[in-house]
């Protein structure tokens, strides 16, 4: 055991200067430009005339030490022992010797690692731990990434895309990565209420903390089977699982109801336009290990549709802004549902507050947007058998009895009349006629004071 | 200890096929040498069959004296897969820019292989090297060996998380300041805050050299640094002409993509309305041989990005339009101090600084940390008239 007095702490990481390839150290801050020579290979040129060639390859982010040693062997062979990783889990080998490039590309590929990811390509998929390590995952991460990228590997190893494409995956709403701002985001979701372990919850969780953790205040204290516990208001729970994060006795993981949602159009960079959040494209696809075919198909479809239609440099979100969301849903063959309309704070900010519509939106007549009217016009209304004057009298009595205590609006009177004369089939139209009769008889007048009311005429305070 | 049982893993085996590098292949590289990896594979296959994970919350384990850097993790099937009953994660603070020598990486591999699963993430989302899977007993020995070789743990919990950066001036012609130097400096400055959680919640610094933001600072850090410049863009008109001659559709791909319509090209000269250039990097991205940032470079500081939990996702917003990371470092640290003091005093549990600002409102926040409100901080001034006017206070009043 380490001697406590000699125990080393708080030393931080090693200084990066120890690890810089000589050409990098010598040209630090002096680089002039770069060219992408072929997929996964670029050259940077310095003010001094020095050049450095970079070969980039994908890693699955989970790496066995054996694989790291393989990368080290390659670095020893071609890069004087230097290598680095990128912010998106790729590996980069740098060499000043151009003749090393093709050999590196070959050796890296032979070792099983795809070369690519530079420029207008998919640059690997940032993802989380999933079932390999995480307690709160609604799906696996690595498996979905592998499945999707097996299908889209060409888009990493070649450069056929109009612009950059950043795909990211988070296995739950904690979103450990920048999933909320990705061109395509794959997000694990729960869709049913947590299971509460009532006997254990007070022992292992701090209940006030738990209640405070809910974004929609859905959790409240409750006694259940004699246990101090909580209950969840199902009407306002949206299954974010923050409660589970702070309290292990309330898991949401559910193999039958967890799944994956797909989001599009996010952007981190400020180039051309400001950053954007990812927006919902598909609310739910099932978990279908080992290859998640529904997810793969959905993502591939979106990628290909964008690739076929976007202009050069146009990221997913920029393309959608130009063609509009109706076109996007149409071109991708995706369904739009009420889930796609925001309902959290400031939801109205996302409504289309403009008349800017494209011809695709005029294809249907207005009537086609209405949901089917199930009540139908086939029913014949039963005949009204109460007279309008009787209704007016009833309403007058209602107002008089409540004078000085409560004021009634027109709607209050018609509702009350319809209820009172229900056995005589008093409908809304007739009840309204009763209001008209009441006013025309001058027994009541319309007033306005913080609302429109029907009152018995009196001299108002301001007139005195 | 596992009895060397071999698990049938038909679902996972399916993921060893295909062109993309396979994480299953990575785990399988270790099953013969590591009972932990072997049992991990078995448990993972069961997860694939059942469509549910089998890990429990953990949170007390760590190394002595530190409150972060270790994520406790326990299997809920420990009887069936005893070798991964404990599967804690250690975060090792990466060198800025993720540069390594093979010698250094081999050292890390040797340490990890001797004391843990031998599986890593290169790297975790925040930026640390992740040592994926070890037992409680091994945490101290790993830590001792790491520090002996000059490595330290990263952050986790309600503390400063490991800062990270793009590779900046080490290889990128666009970098407007030395991101790696800043990242390392800040990491060393806040070692105590990084290892010993003392905040309402996590706090992340990220440093990008330009608006391309290759470390996604604006999306996920509490304090994001994005490189910029104050003076005029540098233009080589001859080289612009070369790009056009080589087929660049300069009008559609460059001019029309400028967010503030700054560019005019008459066939010979690229006229840049520098006063309205917002340093978005697009034209420079397209024509790196012809266009460069100015020379009076520095960084914009933005505050408050976060993922959705709890109150919704946020993108960081402008706090300081321009700093020179070197000259203004001390002033910057004073502001950071003020922010933390305020947040520690008034922040709720698990309230990121971005949510805190939303709750107390930006105007109040700025007053409390000693920054003047400026129009750069808003996309547009308020459009609702509910103004909380305050009576004029005498200068002498508190």
């Amino acid at each position: 055991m380490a001697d406590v007095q000699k125990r080393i702490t708080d030393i931080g990481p090693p200084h990066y200067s120890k690890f810089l390839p000589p050409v990098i150290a010598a040209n630090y801050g002096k680089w002039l430009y770069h060219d992408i020579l072929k997929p996964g290979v670029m050259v940077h040129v310095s003010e001094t005339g020095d050049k450095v060639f970079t070969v980039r390859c994908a890693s699955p982010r989970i790496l066995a030490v054996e694989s790291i040693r393989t990368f080290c062997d390659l670095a020893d062979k071609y890069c004087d022992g230097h290598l680095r990783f990128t912010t998106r889990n790729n590996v980069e080998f740098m060499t000043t010797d151009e003749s090393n490039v093709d050999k590196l590309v070959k050796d890296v590929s032979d070792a099983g690692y795809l070369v690519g990811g530079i420029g207008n390509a998919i640059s690997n998929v940032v993802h989380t731990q999933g079932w390999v390590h995480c307690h709160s995952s609604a799906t696996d991460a690595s498996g979905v990434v592998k499945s999707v990228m097996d299908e889209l590997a060409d888009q990493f190893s070649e450069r056929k895309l109009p612009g950059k494409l950043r795909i990211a995956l988070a296995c739950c709403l904690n979103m450990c990565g920048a999933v909320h701002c990705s061109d395509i985001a794959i997000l694990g979701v729960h869709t049913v209420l947590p299971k509460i372990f009532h006997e254990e919850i007070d022992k292992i969780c701090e209940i006030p903390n738990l209640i405070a953790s809910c974004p929609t205040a859905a959790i409240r204290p409750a006694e259940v089977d004699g246990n101090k516990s909580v209950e969840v208001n199902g009407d306002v729970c949206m299954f974010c699982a923050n409660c589970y994060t702070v309290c292990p006795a309330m898991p949401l993981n559910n193999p039958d109801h967890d799944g994956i949602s797909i989001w599009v159009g996010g952007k981190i960079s400020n180039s051309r336009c400001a950053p954007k959040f990812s927006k919902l494209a598909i609310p739910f696809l099932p978990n279908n290990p080992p290859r998640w075919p529904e997810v793969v198909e959905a993502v591939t479809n979106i990628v290909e549709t964008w690739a076929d239609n976007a202009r050069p440099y146009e990221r997913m979100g920029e393309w959608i802004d130009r063609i509009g969301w109706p076109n996007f849903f149409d071109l991708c063959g995706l369904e739009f549902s009420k889930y796609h309309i925001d309902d959290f704070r400031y939801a109205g900010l996302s409504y289309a507050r403009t008349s800017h519509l494209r011809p695709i939106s005029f294809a249907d007549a207005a009537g086609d947007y209405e949901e089917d009217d199930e009540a139908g016009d086939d029913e014949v209304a039963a005949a009204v058998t109460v007279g309008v004057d009787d209704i007016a009298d009833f309403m007058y009595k209602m107002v008089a009895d409540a004078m000085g205590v409560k004021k009634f609006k027109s709607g209050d009177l018609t509702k009350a009349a319809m209820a009172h004369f229900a056995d005589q089939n008093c409908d809304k139209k007739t009840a309204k006629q009763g209001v008209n009769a009441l006013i025309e008889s001058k027994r009541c007048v319309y007033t306005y004071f913080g609302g429109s009311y029907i009152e018995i005429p009196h001299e108002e305070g301001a007139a005195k | 200890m596992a009895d060397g049982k071999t698990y049938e893993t038909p679902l996972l085996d399916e993921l060893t096929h295909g062109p993309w590098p396979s994480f299953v292949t990575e785990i399988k590289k270790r099953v013969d040498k590591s009972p932990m990896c072997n049992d991990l594979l078995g448990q993972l296959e069961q997860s694939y069959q059942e469509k549910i994970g089998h890990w429990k919350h953990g949170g007390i384990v760590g190394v002595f004296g530190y409150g972060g850097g270790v994520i406790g993790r326990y299997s809920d099937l420990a009887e069936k897969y005893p070798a991964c009953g404990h599967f804690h994660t250690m975060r090792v603070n990466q060198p800025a820019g993720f540069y390594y020598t093979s010698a250094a990486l081999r050292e890390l591999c040797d340490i990890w292989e001797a004391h843990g699963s031998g599986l890593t993430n290169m790297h975790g989302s925040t930026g640390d090297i992740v040592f994926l899977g070890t037992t409680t007993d091994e945490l101290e020995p790993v830590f001792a060996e790491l520090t002996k070789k000059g490595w330290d743990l990263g952050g986790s919990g309600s503390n400063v998380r490991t800062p990270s950066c793009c590779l900046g001036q080490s290889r990128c012609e666009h970098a407007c300041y030395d991101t790696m130097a800043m990242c390392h400096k800040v990491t060393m400055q806040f070692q105590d805050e990084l290892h010993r959680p003392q905040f309402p919640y996590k706090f992340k610094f990220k440093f990008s050299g330009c608006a391309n933001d290759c470390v996604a600072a604006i999306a996920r850090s509490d304090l994001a640094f994005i490189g910029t410049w104050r003076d005029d863009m540098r233009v080589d008109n001859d080289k612009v002409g070369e790009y056009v001659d080589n087929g660049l559709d300069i009008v559609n791909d460059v001019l029309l993509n400028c967010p503030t319509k700054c560019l005019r090209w008459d066939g010979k000269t690229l006229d840049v309305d520098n006063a309205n250039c917002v340093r978005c990097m697009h034209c420079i991205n397209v024509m790196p041989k012809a266009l460069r940032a100015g020379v009076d470079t520095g960084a914009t500081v933005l505050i408050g990005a976060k993922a959705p939990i709890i109150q919704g996702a946020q993108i960081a917003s402008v706090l300081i339009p321009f700093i020179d990371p070197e000259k203004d470092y001390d002033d910057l640290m004073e502001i950071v101090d003020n922010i933390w003091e305020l947040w520690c005093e008034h922040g709720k549990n698990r309230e990121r600084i971005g949510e805190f600002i939303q709750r107390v409102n930006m105007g109040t926040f700025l007053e409390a940390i000693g920054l003047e409100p400026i129009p750069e901080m808003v996309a547009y001034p308020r459009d609702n008239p509910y103004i909380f006017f305050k009576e004029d206070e005498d200068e002498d009043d508190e």
Side-chain angles (χ1 to χ4, degrees), chain A residues 319 322-333 358 360-361:
Chain A
W319 168 60
R322 179 169 61 81
I323 67 166
W325 287 98
N327 264 323
F328 170 77
F329 278 90
D330 181 64
L331 284 171
C332 292
R358 296 166 183 76
I360 188 180
S361 306

Side-chain angles (χ1 to χ4, degrees), chain A residues 150-321:
Chain A
D150 273 343
E151 186 68 28
L152 292 173
D154 281 352
Q155 309 293 9
F156 175 87
S157 59
E158 298 177 38
R159 286 177 61 217
K160 302 188 286 199
L161 298 177
K164 286 198 195 296
L165 187 68
R166 302 259 193 267
I167 305 182
L169 183 148
C171 50
C172 82
L173 266 67
N174 283 319
M175 290 198 186
C176 302
V179 168
H180 56 307
C181 294
S182 296
D183 296 275
I184 298 181
I186 305 169
L187 176 64
V189 288
H190 305 292
T191 63
V192 293
L193 293 171
K195 178 175 162 54
I196 306 175
F197 289 87
H198 298 287
E199 278 180 34
E200 288 89 349
I201 193 165
D202 194 34
K203 297 185 195 112
I204 58 180
C205 307
E206 201 197 291
I207 290 188
N209 205 22
L210 167 61
I211 291 171
S213 75
C214 178
T216 54
I219 304 176
R220 34 175 194 246
E223 201 187 286
V224 181
D225 301 331
N227 296 301
K228 186 173 164 200
S229 181
V230 296
E231 64 187 6
V232 177
N233 178 355
D235 288 339
V236 295
C237 172
M238 37 67 174
F239 324 111
C240 73
N242 195 36
C243 52
Y244 178 58
T245 298
V246 303
C247 174
M250 244 173 118
L252 275 92
N253 298 351
N254 186 311
D256 300 316
H257 295 281
D258 288 348
I260 286 180
S261 57
I262 309 286
W263 305 71
V264 295
K267 180 170 175 282
I268 282 160
S269 83
N270 279 278
S271 59
R272 295 172 305 284
C273 63
K276 300 170 189 290
F277 285 126
S278 320
K279 320 260 188 324
L280 182 67
I282 303 172
F284 188 86
L285 294 168
N287 269 332
N288 215 340
R291 283 211 165 264
W292 284 268
E294 296 87 350
V295 174
V296 173
E297 207 237 306
V299 172
T300 305
N301 173 41
I302 293 170
V303 172
E304 287 175 352
T305 308
W306 164 70
D308 287 342
N309 287 282
R311 291 185 181 159
Y313 302 103
E314 220 173 28
R315 299 278 293 271
M316 178 78 63
E318 295 168 279
W319 168 60
I320 297 174
D321 277 350

Side-chain angles (χ1 to χ4, degrees), chain A residues 7-9, chain B residues 63 66 139-147 152-153:
Chain A
R7 193 162 176 274
I8 307 166
T9 69
Chain B
V63 299
Y66 279 5
L139 297 172
E140 282 291 348
V142 172
F143 181 65
E145 295 208 37
L146 283 173
T147 51
D152 199 349
L153 296 189

Side-chain angles (χ1 to χ4, degrees), chain A residues 15-17 20-31 46-48 50, chain B residues 96-97 99 165-172 175 177-184:
Chain A
H15 198 278
Y16 52 89
S17 57
L20 298 181
V23 68
I24 295 290
N27 292 282
Y28 202 102
K30 299 183 190 155
W31 298 103
S46 161
E47 288 168 6
T48 66
D50 284 350
Chain B
Y99 282 94
C165 61
C166 71
L167 59 51
Q169 293 181 336
S170 70
R171 194 194 62 196
C172 185
Y177 69 99
D178 191 343
T179 57
M180 287 164 50
M182 258 304 258
C183 185
H184 187 82

Side-chain angles (χ1 to χ4, degrees), chain A residues 345-410:
Chain A
R345 290 185 185 77
Y346 315 122
L349 293 174
S350 70
Y351 301 163
R353 296 174 159 176
T354 167
S355 64
H356 290 180
L357 292 168
R358 296 166 183 76
I360 188 180
S361 306
F362 304 138
D364 299 317
D368 293 348
Y369 289 125
E370 287 168 18
E371 290 193 53
D372 283 319
D373 185 4
E374 280 167 21
D377 295 326
D378 299 338
E379 283 175 36
V380 175
V384 180
T385 58
V386 59
V388 168
D389 289 331
D390 288 336
I391 296 174
D393 288 345
F394 164 78
M395 288 178 172
Y396 175 74
K397 186 169 188 307
M398 203 173 141
V399 172
D401 286 348
M403 191 159 138
V405 175
K406 183 172 161 60
K407 297 196 292 190
F408 290 116
K409 298 172 148 254
S410 171

Side-chain angles (χ1 to χ4, degrees), chain A residues 127-143:
Chain A
H127 57 285
T128 49
Q129 301 288 11
W131 293 332
V132 172
H133 174 71
C134 187
H135 57 300
S136 64
S137 36
T139 184
D140 188 35
S142 314

